[in-house]
Amino acid sequence: MRAALFYGIEDMKVENIDEPTPNAGEILVDIAACGICGSDLHFYTEGLHGNAELPVTLGHEVGGTVIETGEDVDIEVGTDVVLSPHTPCMECWYCEDGLYNLCTNLNATSARPGGYAEKAVENADNAIVLPEGVSPEDAAIAQPVSVGLHAVRESPLGIGDSAMVVGAGPIGLGVIQFAKSAGAGPIYVSEPQESRREVAREFGADVVIDPTDEDPVERVREQTGTGVDVAFEAVGHQTTLNQAIESTRANGHTTVIGVFSDEVEISPQSLVGHQRSVSGSTSHQLGPRVTKEYNAVLRQLETGKLDADQYVTSRIDLEDVVDRGFETLLSEDSKERKILVCP
């Protein structure tokens, strides 16, 4: 079968590899789509962390159809599923306490070989069956949207609270979607890309700010008088992190979701002097609880409250994963939001 093999920084080629075979407790999935994630872009430009053996196949936002099962699997062949990409060890302190996304021995990408391939093997426990009417291709957006949902649930955001979302990429849009569903408002969004600002409005943002044209912190303070109750940082840069923190009122809170490549600086006095707090949110619920947040996203896809085409700007062939996928998303003038690789 065909798969994209990552050999090192900016070195990825689509080649023929052996088709994987499911073991007991595993399923073989014919991949309908795999989204290109920001973390994959980091790997592509900076390399993998640790001592990972190369080449590997990246990709973890996968929707597809079960075409073969190993022993002890109760999912039928022909079932459409979306895959959770992370497998907790079920043995560490965090797993014993039910905090599976914080597992100290987490297998972060458990699919073999990975999502940028025609087929992949995954643990059957990581497969969430799709409701009728939700295509496996559209369901590929469920993973990043679930990350946004998890961040909203981890934050102290309550009904009627004002919110600031810095960054309206796929995860930031998920935050907007579910902050609105949770009764938050007004919702402010800072995003430099015009097409993403437009979608942020469609998702329920009340005020959309272009940070290249005006200072988002000043705009928020001008309109609120004090700052927002809760902010979300969904970019992963020093500037946007400080903007998120400074946009909150005294005693406000910032939830950080962005993936940071470098160390950043903040002013501790901006926290101490205003009694602000900051916390992180990672991934989404995993293990025995994986269906809770995924199913919330899938229900919105099923009912039409969430439209995959609002997220997805391009659907490309596997052979085009480098030129039309990774390189396009890394281009400074790119207007893409989410690209799906459809083998």
Side-chain angles (χ1 to χ4, degrees):
M1 70 175 192
R2 302 289 279 170
L5 299 182
F6 176 71
Y7 286 90
I9 295 175
E10 297 184 5
D11 185 5
M12 187 159 62
K13 304 178 181 69
V14 178
E15 301 177 359
N16 289 314
I17 66 170
D18 293 335
E19 181 177 305
T21 301
N23 298 317
E26 296 181 333
I27 56 175
L28 177 64
V29 174
D30 183 33
I31 296 175
C34 179
I36 298 180
C37 176
S39 61
D40 292 326
L41 295 176
H42 283 292
F43 296 147
Y44 183 73
T45 58
E46 301 171 15
L48 294 176
H49 305 300
N51 299 314
E53 291 187 15
L54 299 176
V56 298
T57 297
L58 303 174
H60 57 269
E61 300 175 359
V62 176
T65 303
V66 177
I67 56 175
E68 186 180 343
T69 66
E71 295 180 2
D72 302 321
V73 172
D74 59 4
I75 300 177
E76 295 184 0
V77 169
T79 301
D80 291 334
V81 296
V82 61
L83 303 181
S84 170
H86 313 309
T87 301
C89 73
M90 307 303 292
E91 296 178 354
C92 70
W93 184 91
Y94 294 101
C95 286
E96 289 181 356
D97 205 42
L99 302 172
Y100 304 107
N101 64 314
L102 303 181
C103 171
T104 55
N105 303 303
L106 185 70
N107 186 344
T109 307
S110 50
R112 306 194 314 271
Y116 305 133
E118 292 180 329
K119 302 171 186 176
V121 163
E122 180 58 278
N123 298 317
D125 290 342
N126 287 359
I128 297 94
V129 176
L130 302 185
E132 187 174 349
V134 177
S135 73
E137 189 172 308
D138 286 351
I141 72 166
Q143 198 272 338
V145 178
S146 293
V147 174
L149 168 58
H150 184 73
V152 172
R153 296 182 72 231
E154 286 295 304
S155 78
L157 188 75
I159 295 174
D161 283 349
S162 56
M164 170 67 152
V165 181
V166 183
I171 292 175
L173 290 173
V175 172
I176 298 166
Q177 176 92 11
F178 286 100
K180 194 73 173 180
S181 297
I187 298 174
Y188 300 83
V189 175
S190 175
E191 168 56 52
Q193 191 180 111
E194 182 178 359
S195 62
R196 290 182 174 182
R197 292 197 300 272
E198 293 173 358
V199 177
R201 290 189 185 93
E202 295 174 11
F203 274 40
D206 298 289
V207 179
V208 180
I209 304 162
D210 180 357
T212 66
D213 185 54
E214 61 178 319
D215 186 328
V217 175
E218 290 184 3
R219 176 73 178 278
V220 168
R221 287 180 176 174
E222 177 185 303
Q223 294 205 216
T224 63
T226 58
V228 296
D229 297 298
V230 179
F232 298 87
E233 199 284 342
V235 181
H237 294 293
Q238 177 171 301
T239 299
T240 51
L241 175 58
N242 280 284
Q243 287 173 343
I245 294 170
E246 295 295 334
S247 71
T248 60
R249 60 171 173 78
N251 211 38
H253 181 84
T254 298
T255 297
V256 183
I257 327 163
V259 177
F260 290 77
S261 300
D262 303 306
E263 293 184 359
V264 300
E265 294 182 358
I266 65 171
S267 171
Q269 191 57 32
S270 70
L271 305 179
V272 175
H274 299 279
Q275 199 171 292
R276 293 176 170 129
S277 59
V278 178
S279 68
S281 175
T282 186
S283 190
H284 43 72
Q285 288 190 328
L286 304 176
R289 298 179 178 178
V290 68
T291 57
K292 186 176 184 68
E293 289 170 347
Y294 266 88
N295 281 342
V297 175
L298 294 176
R299 280 195 298 272
Q300 294 217 341
L301 283 169
E302 181 183 21
T303 60
K305 292 180 180 178
L306 177 61
D307 182 357
D309 287 335
Q310 290 178 302
Y311 276 86
V312 179
T313 45
S314 293
R315 302 169 192 251
I316 64 174
D317 294 334
L318 177 61
E319 302 293 332
D320 297 323
V321 63
V322 176
D323 292 340
R324 293 186 58 200
F326 279 68
E327 294 294 341
T328 296
L329 286 168
L330 290 168
S331 173
E332 290 185 0
D333 58 355
S334 173
K335 296 182 179 179
E336 299 281 2
R337 289 189 297 276
K338 173 62 69 177
I339 294 178
L340 294 185
V341 179
C342 304

